[in-house]
Each structure stands twice: as structure tokens, then as C-alpha cells.
Amino acid sequence: IVREIPKQSSNWDMFMNLYEEDGTLKADVDYNVDLFKRDTVASWLDGFEILLKGLVEEPNGKLGDFDFFTDSGLSEELDSYNSTATSYPSDLTLPEIISRQAAQTQFKPAILDEGQTYSYKDVDQRVAQIAGYLQSAGVTTGSIIGLCVERSADMVMSALAIMRAGGAYVPLDPDYPEDRLQHMIADSGMTAVVTQSSLAETLPTTITKLVIDDADNGVTDSVAPLLQSLAEPEGMAYMIYTSGSSGLPKGVMVSHKSLTNFMYAMKSRPGITSDDILLSVTTMSFDIAALEIYLPLIVGARVAIARPQVSTDGSLLASMIDSIEATMMQATPATWKMLIDSGWTGKAGLKILCGGEALSRSLANSLIERSQELWNMYGPTETTIWSTVARVVPGDAPINIGSPIANTQVYVLSSLMRPVPLGVEGELYIGGDGVAFGYYGRPELTAERFVNNPFGDGKLYRTGDIAKFGDDGSLICLGRSDNQVKIRGFRIELEEIEAILLEHPSVTDAVAIVRDDQPDDKRIVAYTIQSDEIEPAELRSLINEKLPFYMMPSAWMRLEQFPMTPNGKIDRNSFPAPQQDRSSLESTFEPAETAEEKIVLNVWCDVLKLDAEQIGVRDNFFELGGHSLLATRVINRLKEVSTEPISLLTFFDNPTVASLASTFKVSQEKPADPAKAEVIEEADGDKRSDDDREEFVI
């Protein structure tokens, strides 16, 4: 029985008082109604009562052995959240499904790529042709094949062709360091790499290269097309490499069945129709790209491929959204924020999918204002892209990650793998048809992360995410239990950065952490203990040789010792904020001289939160802590005073004050006097009135 307690105040957010009355043990609970709901507190009391009864019946039992849910009704309530059984064609693979769709809509546009349109018939024929070539080169059922093709229609069709030939593809990003590509090629045991002539020379000479755009390589009409798919539902469709805590990336093996289930789940929720045009912006080495390139093709819709120079430039991307009349787009919060920072005002009728890292409420509200609807997506690579989805509505409530997709179960468990009550934190486990096979060649790590399901068949993937169930059954993600982080959508194991730093003979200890000293601006900071003094440029070069660009620390700091907790562990919450100084840079200080250099310098100072004395005209923006999102803000401001637009690609090619300043001239139609030039920026994507605008005086 829950009753009101006639007390006026309490010193605590929650207080329980046990007392005996009429031979019965009773409990009074005071709680802060701004923090807790009545039903939540009542459910906790139910669990507490069950625990007490268990202790009486088994006084010598261990606390962890007692069930908080028996007879409370909570177990049934949690089970209802996981009632997601839905039929889908589990006996078909994606190449078969898309080929059948092509037979129904032969002449309908399927892929748009740089002004060229490929019909469903074109796609099916090209996939069959490439698959026939791969088969003639020895690719067969069970083959593991690398895929190193620039973002294009050929990328989509090559991936489908590898699967049609029975193989599993492994995306190889040509921008990755050679050492990382070498490891992925050797670790996966791939027999060949499907690539194109412009990229072939960037790949190691030790691997067989199947070049699909060379007229002399056999991909012609003389090669018999492979019309019948050799893919098997229980076989592997693709393998994605993710950051690894050991210092080396690990391959996640995903089955055709998991991929098919995922596509049909997405077809239903968030939903897609044959009239949709989905704009694809994600690199193939990021598993969420699979939704963008395959989902439209299973329903007769269109996928438009944004080349890298477009997908990384807010202005160009905004133009493409309008020009192709996109109705759907999926991207990370960082990309959506880049769009808004570039001045994008939105598009009526656009369905937005957002995932890869935490979605802030301010960004969510800005996106809702600019679209038809917004969906928050959550899921690790190990459970096939997304595992939960949530339709986001306007307001000020925290963003949740929703409920499980079709044929997926989610559990919030204690350290003893027992369900915790509603509103109580625990580790998130995911089960169902999306759970991957495991990590390629890593049986011990697979056994650690893919555990037996105590609630049903199959395995549960242990995500390492801390979560809780809200009162409405929606999941709320609260952070990590380990050092894995997400930065601008990229999944990073900080231990991998630390392992590379420890390869330097003068580094005796290393810690990498993520700091967010500026709102919505997470940065990696590396701290080292060194036996001999090392220039940060030397460590930066070491990271650059081994790890992708997105794992490069933005700041470096040498310490004599690391802060420790009372029990002797490294205290990651007590590291000092890094102080950027000239000793961490490779260049020597040179002051700005021309009007353009002074304008660029002042914009950099404001965006990077640095003083003018800290930035010289030869300093590299990215060595100063900049990244693509901040670069977009710089470009947006320079538009106010430059004679011609500056693209993000131009910025990447000219990352110093001097080189960037050389790409434009001060406009005579706009304020040429730096003292009078105003650049207005919208904070967090929120529209401001003229009275509320922020002015930056150059």
C-alpha cells in the first residue's frame, strides 16, 4: 500500500524510514517529486519487499541470487517491451531481394550519382556482370573480399556483386594509414580486393586486385554474368572493422539474415516508400552506410550518392538536398550540425535519421523545425547497425533511444545479469536476429562480449553502455562503462590510441581521454609520462602513421605523474585541461600581415577559443585542435567578407592561415574594413532575432 506521508520537508531527495506497527514492518518513503514519479517509487518498494521476503526464506543466501521481480508484475512489463516478433523473408538474401525488386521496376531510377541515373535494370545487370567477373577470378561462397572503391554507384553495385558471388565484403577506406589497411587485409585473410584503377596503386602489392573499371581486366560482355545469387542466409554478408582496445582494429562479422531483418525492420519503422529519395552521405567503412545504399533498393525507391567533397561541405550538401528533392537522409549529429552551421534552413517533407552518437535536445529541436520528422537511432555494429529507434518530438525532455526494432530484444541488467527495476541503471544487452557472429579470429573477445542469453535462445551482445528504462518503457542511454567513445559519429577505443603512444620508446605511460570543455565540441586529449622529452609533433606523426585521422588527439600534455584515485587507479576525471602553446606545434610563429590573413586569424581565434598570440600564419588549423565541424564554422563566417565561396575541400588543402587567406579576396561590396565586418552565427542551430544576434567584430 502506498499512502501520502504528512511531512512538510525532507533533507534528502529520497529517504526511507522502516518502523514496526501492529506487529508489521512498514516503510515510509519521502521523495522529491521533481526527480521521481510515484509509480517508479512504488515499483522500487515492490522490489524491496520481494527482496526482504527472499532474505527471510533464505537467510544464508547471497544478495545477488535474489530476484527483485518475481510476483511484482515488472518482469511481465519488461517482457512486453521485447515482444517484437515480426515476419520477414529470412530465407532470402539482400542481393536476391534487390534483384526481385529490379524485375518489378526495371526502368525506374534506382541510383543517382553525379548527374548520372541508373535504372533498376541497369543496376541488376551491372551487379550480375561484376559478380560474373568475380566468380571467374575465384570468388565463391565463403570468400572474404576487400572493397576499396570511392563513393559512387560502382561502390554500391560492387558490394552487391561480392555478396551475389557468395562472398562477404570488407570495406577498406583509402584514407586509412597504410599500416591499418595492411592489418585489415592480413587479419581478415581476404583473398582479393575489389577496387578501381585510381585506387589500385594505394593498396599493398601483396594482395590480388580485381579492378572493375579497367576495360582490359575482363569486366566486359564476354564475361558471363552471374544471374543466380550464391549468397546463403546463414552466411556472412560483410565484415566491418571497429576500433580495438588492444591497439588493433577488430572485424565484426554480420550475416545475411541479420542484414535482411534489419532492412525490413527499417522499412516499417522509421519507414520508407517507393516514392522516397534517400540521400547517402556516409562512408562505406561506417556500417550505417548499409541503410543508406540498400534500404531504398528493396522497396523501389531511389538512393542518391553524395561524393565526399559534398558530404563534408555543409553548403554543397544543403544544395544537393534541394536539387535532388531528397525526402530522407541519415547522418550523425555532427553532420547535421555542420549543415545548420552552414546556414541550411531545412526542407519540408524531409525525414531525418540521426545516430552514431548522442543527440542533444537543442540540436533535435533545431532539426525538427527544419524537417517533417526526426528519428533518433541507436545500435552498435555488433547488432547490425541500429537496434532501437525513437521518433523525437519537440520539447525539453531528454532524448531517449526508444524501443527495440523488429525481432530484437533489449535488457538492462545488473553485474550478475539480472534485470534491474524500471528507472534503475544497468548495462544494456541486446539479443535477437541482429546479433552478429562475433569478432573474426578473436574467440576470447567474442566469448566475453557475446554471452549466452538467460532469457531465451541465442546470444546477447554486451554493449558496455549504461542505460535505464523510463516510465514509458523507452530506453535512456547514460554513457559507457568503459573507455569507448563516439566522436562525430566515429567509434573509438581510447586504449587503441594509448597502445600506439606506448610504442614510442620514450613514452612510459599514456592516457587518452575525451574532453568537452566547449559545449558540443568533444576532443581527444593525450597525456603522457616520458622518460625523455618528446616533441608533440613526433607523437602526432606516430599516430598519423598508425590510426585514422579521426583518432588524432587535438591536444597533447606531458605530466610527471597521472592523477590517481584513493584506491590506486588512474582518475580520468581529474586530468588538467590542456593549455595550447607553441611548443606543441611544428611551425614557428609568424604574425598575420595582409588583410585576408588578419581576417582568417581573427575568425580562427574565435572558433578555436585561442588568443591571437597563440596562432601564427603557418600554423595548421587541425594541429590547433580544429576539426571538420569547426572548419565549417570558419567557412561560414568567411562567406560574409570573401569575394567567392570557400569549400571545405579547399580548407583541407589550405589548413594554415596564410594558405587559406590566399584563396580569397576581401569583397568590396561587403565591409572591407576588418573593424566593421560583422559575421553572425547561429548558436546550436537556434534561429535568433536581430536583437539577439551574436556579433563577431573582425
Side-chain angles (χ1 to χ4, degrees):
I1 299 173
V2 180
R3 58 185 175 84
E4 298 291 341
I5 299 174
K7 292 184 179 180
Q8 298 299 314
S9 63
S10 175
N11 295 328
W12 313 96
D13 287 329
M14 179 172 287
F15 177 80
M16 175 182 284
N17 179 43
L18 296 175
Y19 61 96
E20 187 175 348
E21 183 179 286
D22 299 329
T24 302
L25 185 64
K26 295 187 177 181
D28 282 347
V29 177
D30 296 335
Y31 61 92
N32 186 338
V33 295
D34 292 331
L35 300 178
F36 307 103
K37 292 185 177 180
R38 179 186 180 92
D39 291 344
T40 302
V41 175
S43 70
W44 289 348
L45 287 175
D46 287 340
F48 185 58
E49 181 180 0
I50 293 168
L51 173 63
L52 293 179
K53 289 179 179 178
L55 290 171
V56 171
E57 295 172 0
E58 296 288 341
N60 296 322
K62 296 180 180 179
L63 188 62
D65 292 335
F66 294 102
D67 191 345
F68 284 74
F69 293 105
T70 303
D71 299 328
S72 70
L74 287 178
S75 58
E76 290 80 5
E77 188 173 357
L78 291 176
D79 285 342
S80 69
Y81 301 151
N82 286 325
S83 298
T84 59
T86 308
S87 62
Y88 68 99
S90 58
D91 58 331
L92 296 178
T93 63
L94 206 59
E96 293 173 295
I97 294 168
I98 294 175
S99 185
R100 292 186 180 192
Q101 179 62 49
Q104 298 173 17
T105 52
Q106 292 188 53
F107 303 107
K108 188 175 181 181
I111 302 177
L112 312 177
D113 178 26
E114 286 202 324
Q116 188 167 358
T117 300
Y118 298 83
S119 69
Y120 273 86
K121 182 179 180 180
D122 294 334
V123 171
D124 196 44
Q125 288 180 341
R126 177 67 170 157
V127 169
Q129 186 183 55
I130 298 175
Y133 166 61
L134 300 182
Q135 186 182 41
S136 69
V139 177
T140 187
T141 302
S143 297
I144 297 177
I145 305 297
L147 178 62
C148 187
V149 177
E150 67 181 24
R151 282 185 54 76
S152 61
D154 264 350
M155 176 193 72
V156 180
M157 293 184 281
S158 295
L160 288 170
I162 293 172
M163 292 189 289
R164 180 179 287 200
Y169 66 85
V170 182
L172 299 173
D173 193 322
D175 290 332
Y176 281 179
E178 183 178 351
D179 283 358
R180 196 173 188 85
L181 291 176
Q182 285 275 21
H183 168 75
M184 293 165 66
I185 290 170
D187 181 73
S188 66
M190 64 179 63
T191 56
V193 176
V194 173
T195 188
Q196 53 198 142
S197 54
S198 61
L199 297 175
E201 292 184 1
T202 66
L203 294 167
T205 57
T206 53
I207 189 71
T208 299
K209 301 164 191 174
L210 305 176
V211 184
I212 60 169
D213 62 340
D214 188 339
D216 298 325
N217 67 8
V219 188
T220 66
D221 293 337
S222 63
V223 177
L226 180 59
L227 301 178
Q228 187 67 34
S229 175
L230 302 181
E232 299 175 346
E234 300 299 331
M236 182 164 58
Y238 65 80
M239 181 157 66
I240 294 282
Y241 273 83
T242 66
S243 181
S245 58
S246 66
L248 294 171
K250 54 188 183 294
V252 180
M253 302 177 288
V254 175
S255 73
H256 281 282
K257 182 179 179 181
S258 294
L259 187 57
T260 299
N261 175 70
F262 172 75
M263 292 300 162
Y264 275 80
M266 294 296 100
K267 176 184 174 183
S268 173
R269 188 169 65 109
I272 187 172
T273 72
S274 60
D275 295 326
D276 278 311
I277 302 172
L278 194 154
L279 178 54
S280 173
V281 302
T282 305
T283 175
M284 196 69 169
S285 58
F286 193 174
D287 67 330
I288 72 173
L291 178 149
E292 300 171 17
I293 62 177
Y294 301 138
L295 181 60
L297 300 181
I298 72 169
V299 298
R302 278 173 282 178
V303 54
I305 307 295
R307 295 296 181 107
Q309 63 268 27
V310 174
S311 61
T312 56
D313 188 305
S315 296
L316 294 178
L317 188 56
S319 296
M320 188 171 181
I321 291 173
D322 289 336
S323 65
I324 67 165
E325 299 182 338
T327 62
M328 288 184 69
M329 182 174 139
Q330 170 188 258
T332 63
T335 297
W336 287 114
K337 196 167 192 310
M338 175 189 74
L339 256 177
I340 292 173
D341 286 343
S342 73
W344 181 64
T345 57
K347 185 180 187 302
L350 182 67
K351 179 181 291 188
I352 289 178
L353 311 185
C354 187
E357 59 185 327
L359 172 62
S360 69
R361 169 48 73 179
S362 62
L363 178 58
N365 286 345
S366 295
L367 290 174
I368 291 171
E369 292 175 359
R370 291 167 167 82
S371 65
Q372 175 180 306
E373 58 188 71
L374 169 65
W375 290 78
N376 190 32
M377 322 290 281
Y378 164 85
T381 300
E382 289 85 348
T383 57
T384 312
I385 310 173
W386 304 131
S387 297
T388 70
V389 298
R391 172 81 182 269
V392 185
V393 297
D396 55 8
I399 304 295
N400 64 65
I401 59 174
S403 56
I405 67 171
N407 303 302
T408 299
Q409 295 80 47
V410 293
Y411 302 93
V412 180
L413 307 178
S414 68
S415 59
L416 297 171
M417 288 194 69
R418 291 181 174 273
V420 298
L422 294 177
V424 174
E425 298 178 10
E427 184 171 357
L428 180 59
Y429 289 72
I430 301 175
D433 288 1
V435 177
F437 291 133
Y439 301 112
Y440 185 83
R442 307 282 291 276
E444 293 183 0
L445 184 59
T446 297
E448 176 186 334
R449 306 301 296 187
F450 295 83
V451 299
N452 291 329
N453 183 357
F455 312 105
D457 298 331
K459 298 284 187 178
L460 293 182
Y461 174 65
R462 183 179 181 181
T463 67
D465 286 326
I466 303 302
K468 67 179 181 180
F469 280 109
D471 295 323
D472 61 353
S474 61
L475 270 171
I476 301 169
C477 195
L478 303 168
R480 294 288 301 176
S481 62
D482 56 18
N483 294 322
Q484 183 189 114
V485 296
K486 289 284 189 74
I487 296 184
R488 292 181 289 282
F490 294 104
R491 171 171 155 180
I492 298 171
E493 299 275 4
L494 294 173
E495 287 93 339
E496 186 173 4
I497 299 173
E498 296 166 358
I500 299 301
L501 291 173
L502 288 170
E503 291 182 6
H504 195 288
S506 296
V507 174
T508 59
D509 206 352
V511 169
I513 66 172
V514 171
R515 300 185 66 93
D516 52 359
D517 298 311
Q518 300 294 331
D520 293 324
D521 185 18
K522 294 181 179 180
R523 303 189 188 192
I524 301 173
V525 180
Y527 298 85
T528 58
I529 296 175
Q530 305 168 8
S531 58
D532 298 302
E533 187 171 354
I534 315 166
E535 292 295 329
E538 190 174 342
L539 296 177
R540 187 180 290 112
S541 177
L542 177 63
I543 294 292
N544 191 53
E545 291 174 3
K546 303 280 188 177
L547 299 176
F549 69 93
Y550 57 81
M551 298 182 72
M552 177 69 72
S554 296
W556 309 78
M557 197 168 185
R558 179 185 179 184
L559 300 177
E560 294 300 320
Q561 61 183 17
F562 293 153
M564 309 294 283
T565 63
N567 60 1
K569 295 183 178 180
I570 292 176
D571 187 355
R572 291 178 174 268
N573 295 320
S574 298
F575 278 84
Q579 299 298 317
Q580 182 69 276
D581 56 44
R582 301 221 51 83
S583 65
S584 67
L585 304 177
E586 296 184 48
S587 58
T588 56
F589 181 80
E590 294 182 33
E593 294 183 353
T594 69
E596 287 79 12
E597 287 177 350
K598 291 176 181 178
I599 289 173
V600 172
L601 176 64
N602 279 286
V603 173
W604 282 24
C605 288
D606 188 67
V607 170
L608 294 172
K609 309 301 180 186
L610 296 174
D611 296 330
E613 294 76 16
Q614 296 175 286
I615 304 176
V617 296
R618 305 298 173 189
D619 294 342
N620 189 300
F621 181 81
F622 302 100
E623 291 180 8
L624 290 167
H627 49 72
S628 59
L629 185 58
L630 293 180
T632 299
R633 295 179 187 174
V634 171
I635 292 170
N636 207 35
R637 293 189 171 197
L638 293 180
K639 287 178 182 177
E640 299 293 324
V641 293
S642 63
T643 55
E644 54 190 57
I646 301 170
S647 70
L648 194 60
L649 186 60
T650 298
F651 196 120
F652 286 150
D653 290 338
N654 299 276
T656 69
V657 170
S659 61
L660 186 61
S662 69
T663 65
F664 73 95
K665 293 293 182 182
V666 174
S667 173
Q668 298 304 312
E669 297 178 0
K670 298 174 183 178
D673 183 354
K676 297 180 179 178
E678 296 178 354
V679 180
I680 303 168
E681 178 186 46
E682 295 180 358
D684 293 326
D686 295 332
K687 295 182 178 178
R688 300 182 178 192
S689 67
D690 290 340
D691 293 336
D692 294 332
R693 69 182 184 177
E694 175 185 341
E695 293 187 353
F696 174 63
V697 180
I698 299 176

